[in-house]
Amino acid sequence: MPETSVRVRFAPSPTGVLHIGSVRTALYNWLFARHEGGTLVLRIEDTDQERGTPEALESVFGTLRWLGLDWDEGPDIGGPYGPYMQSQRLPIYQQAAARLLERGAAYRCFCTQEDLARMRQAAEAAGRVPRYDGRCRGLDPDEAARRAEAGEPCVLRFRMPDMERLKVPDLIRGEVVFEAREFDDFIIVKSDGFPVYNFANVVDDAGMKMTHVIRGEDLLPSTPRQLVLYDALECPPPQFAHAPMLLTPERRKLSKRDLPEGALAYRDEGYLPVAVVNFLSLLGWSPGDDREVFTLDEIVQAFSIDRISPAPAVFDKQKMEWLNAQHLKRTPGSELAPLVRERMVAAGMLGPGEPSDEEAGYLVAVVDLMKERARTLNQLVEHSRFFFSDEYAFDEVGVRKRLLKPEGMADILVGLAGSLDAVAPWTAEAIETSFRASADAQGVAHGTAIHGARVAVSGQTVGPGLFDLLAVLGRERTTARLRAAAEKLRAGAFLSGSGTTA
RNA sequence: GCCCCGGUGGUCUAAUGGUCAGGACACGGCUCUUUCAAGGCCGUAGUACGGGUUCAAUUCCCGUCCGGGGUACCA
């Protein structure tokens, strides 16, 4: 492998479910890796003993897999730089910390959390910036080591070098300059022996040979600290790219609160993975032309870091829905059918068993017909109910307008059914010819017959073209439903029930 | 408070020191006709504000305002 080969990583911490903002970060890393023919590493940053959960870890895997964002090295598949769970890398951090300690780049600090809280309060009361005052900086290292060995709790702090300012080169924002006096001697190892984020992150990114770090803008302020750590560790830093935040419509940072179920909730709502990826890719990035509907491959091909915008983006669900509709239309029914099927089974519209070839074919035909108008899989399922059961609901307005309205609709429907009995072959074209002829013979306007028949067989006033619909529905169902509706009309059954007053 | 990042229609965005500032979602209207929730067409709406630099600024600079992020023994 050439040494110019790109290596990037997605490094979530498994606290709570994976949310959509993290997914966008994962996506940008994945796109960059795939575009460059590089390597994507999945690393789990579980150094927070208190907050990590196994469910959260499952959520990371599940979400990425659902979206088709695969990784080349990770906790489940290993790789040359493992392990890929930070909780299993403790010796590596300890070793790195020991090196810094030895060199005097880090020192032991025995201040308690109460001491620090007091310091902070005092500083705030005095209107000063709260920073660690460095009181343990000058402790004799040998003496400090003795106290630590004697069991006195302590943390390890990084000795901030003397410098005027810290410059962070960023692929998206150019050079970002921080004043060095903003930074105090920050903690790198907690008193429980675990490394703190900034430290573990740098040790791993350096150790795993990352060439680029693409992450959220919220991490930009911690980058200067990381840069001095790379320096102290004598490792070359990666190139940084801080992607803009995702905002709610109220312009708040998108967080777990906004979608407690996590990004997988969009699967449950009936979104296609490709649509979610397509939508997310366009939040903060654009290909530079007017294209908006992409396949995965097209996005990979078009992606580049320098076209990522620095400005935060509002997550607009309506646009995601539209994109989903576009992908629904473009995806063959045969591909959609398994997804639709599991939803129909869940909704009790289909049995859980293996479908026969005929049933499977019917489902594909229904999906091909209905996907043109649906915005989500769930909507498609909902609108397709009448294809699978005779127990479909009648739209009240539709009944009043299209069945009750023209006097004698019952006779018309029966007439239509009669002519359809003879149609062969059962194709949209043949159905239309026969249907229109029957309407003519009965002296009924085509529109009247069509509208009436639509409501009779589907209960709905909207949907695909009637003849295509009937072709899929089948002769048996069609004629039976036309006659059943006529029966019901004659019995006055449509008038019973509620809401017959306008 | 302090530090950092942003600011093109309601939203996502394109472009540019000289353009009728382009596209998409949403919204409104029209249309197709067999319905619309699909398709087509049209429309409403934008360079946050104030200074500078310049023949010319949405674009470059400064300030203001607004929004976001950070400021932990969280990540």
Side-chain angles (χ1 to χ4, degrees):
Chain A
M1 218 170 238
E3 51 190 325
T4 52
S5 178
V6 159
R7 288 180 58 84
V8 290
R9 86 302 195 271
F10 175 53
S13 67
T15 58
V17 289
L18 194 64
H19 73 101
I20 200 74
S22 309
V23 170
R24 208 273 312 257
T25 298
L27 173 61
Y28 280 1
N29 278 285
W30 182 84
L31 287 171
F32 184 61
R34 295 297 170 255
H35 179 89
E36 299 291 331
T39 302
L40 178 65
V41 173
L42 176 61
R43 182 175 74 225
I44 304 299
E45 308 218 325
D46 55 347
T47 54
D48 187 339
Q49 293 281 279
E50 321 239 303
R51 300 198 304 156
T53 68
E55 296 76 35
L57 188 58
E58 268 322 297
S59 156
V60 171
F61 289 142
T63 307
L64 295 180
R65 286 197 187 111
W66 173 58
L67 291 170
L69 307 183
D70 56 339
W71 52 96
D72 308 299
E73 299 171 23
D76 54 335
I77 51 178
Y81 300 96
Y84 294 91
M85 302 276 289
Q86 286 192 331
S87 56
Q88 294 168 13
R89 297 174 63 80
L90 259 30
I92 297 171
Y93 309 124
Q94 278 156 7
Q95 204 179 349
R99 260 202 332 270
L100 294 183
L101 194 56
E102 206 174 307
R103 207 176 296 156
Y107 60 90
R108 292 188 175 85
C109 167
F110 296 89
C111 297
T112 64
Q113 302 209 42
E114 292 73 48
D115 291 337
L116 298 175
R118 259 196 303 281
M119 243 181 266
R120 240 191 318 273
Q121 272 170 10
E124 269 165 35
R128 282 180 291 112
V129 181
R131 331 164 57 232
Y132 175 65
D133 62 9
R135 64 178 64 173
C136 294
R137 227 183 190 209
L139 253 36
D140 174 60
D142 295 328
E143 168 66 14
R146 265 193 299 279
R147 285 169 67 181
E149 257 160 62
E152 191 173 343
C154 68
V155 301
L156 234 51
R157 283 185 185 272
F158 181 73
R159 192 184 301 275
M160 212 44 204
D162 274 331
M163 39 174 50
E164 288 277 292
R165 47 184 58 92
L166 295 162
K167 294 177 181 169
V168 177
D170 185 279
L171 262 13
I172 297 170
R173 289 152 217 282
E175 191 175 76
V176 182
V177 181
F178 295 81
E179 297 298 321
R181 59 181 164 75
E182 291 300 316
F183 305 104
D184 55 7
D185 291 347
F186 57 93
I187 293 171
I188 57 177
V189 178
K190 303 183 234 178
S191 54
D192 64 4
F194 275 67
V196 99
Y197 160 77
N198 267 326
F199 186 59
N201 197 257
V202 167
V203 169
D204 286 345
D205 283 342
M208 294 180 178
K209 302 278 191 286
M210 293 297 126
T211 59
H212 301 258
V213 167
I214 306 170
R215 55 174 27 165
E217 189 190 345
D218 49 342
L219 264 9
L220 181 55
S222 67
T223 311
R225 286 187 192 85
Q226 299 192 348
L227 247 13
V228 293
L229 276 175
Y230 279 104
D231 209 43
L233 258 11
E234 299 175 299
C235 293
Q239 292 195 266
F240 290 98
H242 289 93
M245 293 283 99
L246 258 31
L247 271 30
T248 67
E250 296 76 38
R251 302 201 71 86
R252 295 270 136 210
K253 179 187 179 185
L254 213 49
S255 75
K256 299 184 221 306
R257 276 190 73 79
D258 300 295
L259 191 71
E261 320 86 322
L264 240 25
Y266 294 118
R267 177 189 60 189
D268 300 337
E269 287 181 34
Y271 289 90
L272 261 18
V274 64
V276 174
V277 165
N278 191 163
F279 173 66
L280 246 26
S281 74
L282 260 18
L283 281 182
W285 172 81
S286 90
D289 52 37
D290 285 341
R291 289 179 298 164
E292 294 213 281
V293 185
F294 288 90
T295 63
L296 233 48
D297 285 344
E298 287 167 341
I299 304 174
V300 167
Q301 194 168 26
F303 188 78
S304 74
I305 290 180
D306 56 21
R307 293 205 61 87
I308 297 178
S309 149
V314 171
F315 187 95
D316 175 18
K317 202 171 170 186
Q318 280 192 113
K319 182 137 188 182
M320 181 164 76
E321 224 177 84
W322 173 80
L323 266 172
N324 200 52
Q326 298 304 311
H327 280 100
L328 241 24
K329 264 196 263 262
R330 287 164 169 75
T331 309
S334 53
E335 257 176 66
L336 260 18
L339 302 173
V340 171
R341 195 181 155 68
E342 64 186 24
R343 286 174 160 75
M344 288 185 167
V345 170
M349 292 163 59
L350 287 176
E354 265 300 298
S356 68
D357 286 355
E358 192 191 336
E359 287 166 334
Y362 182 62
L363 177 60
V364 171
V366 169
V367 171
D368 268 323
L369 189 67
M370 299 302 284
K371 69 179 186 160
E372 296 301 319
R373 281 171 174 73
R375 287 173 86 86
T376 66
L377 288 169
N378 292 6
Q379 223 172 67
L380 190 160
V381 166
E382 219 30 63
H383 294 328
S384 301
R385 270 205 134 79
F386 69 90
F387 277 106
F388 298 91
S389 164
D390 294 331
E391 308 290 309
Y392 49 95
F394 283 88
D395 177 76
E396 196 187 304
V397 175
V399 168
R400 226 176 7 243
K401 234 170 109 182
R402 305 299 193 188
L403 291 181
L404 261 26
K405 195 69 151 298
E407 205 65 25
M409 181 52 83
D411 294 336
I412 298 169
L413 295 178
V414 170
L416 292 169
S419 85
L420 294 178
D421 279 335
V423 170
W426 187 257
T427 63
E429 213 174 44
I431 294 166
E432 177 162 9
T433 305
S434 163
F435 190 101
R436 288 190 189 276
S438 170
D440 286 339
Q442 300 187 71
V444 180
H446 292 182
T448 303
I450 288 168
H451 290 311
R454 176 192 302 285
V455 174
V457 303
S458 74
Q460 301 173 16
T461 57
V462 298
L466 180 69
F467 306 115
D468 294 320
L469 189 160
L470 297 185
V472 171
L473 189 61
R475 187 205 308 276
E476 296 307 312
R477 282 197 179 88
T478 299
T479 53
R481 287 182 184 189
L482 288 174
R483 291 187 170 111
E487 197 88 351
K488 206 169 165 187
L489 269 176
R490 284 179 180 133
F494 277 119
L495 286 169
S496 64
S498 61
T500 45
T501 53

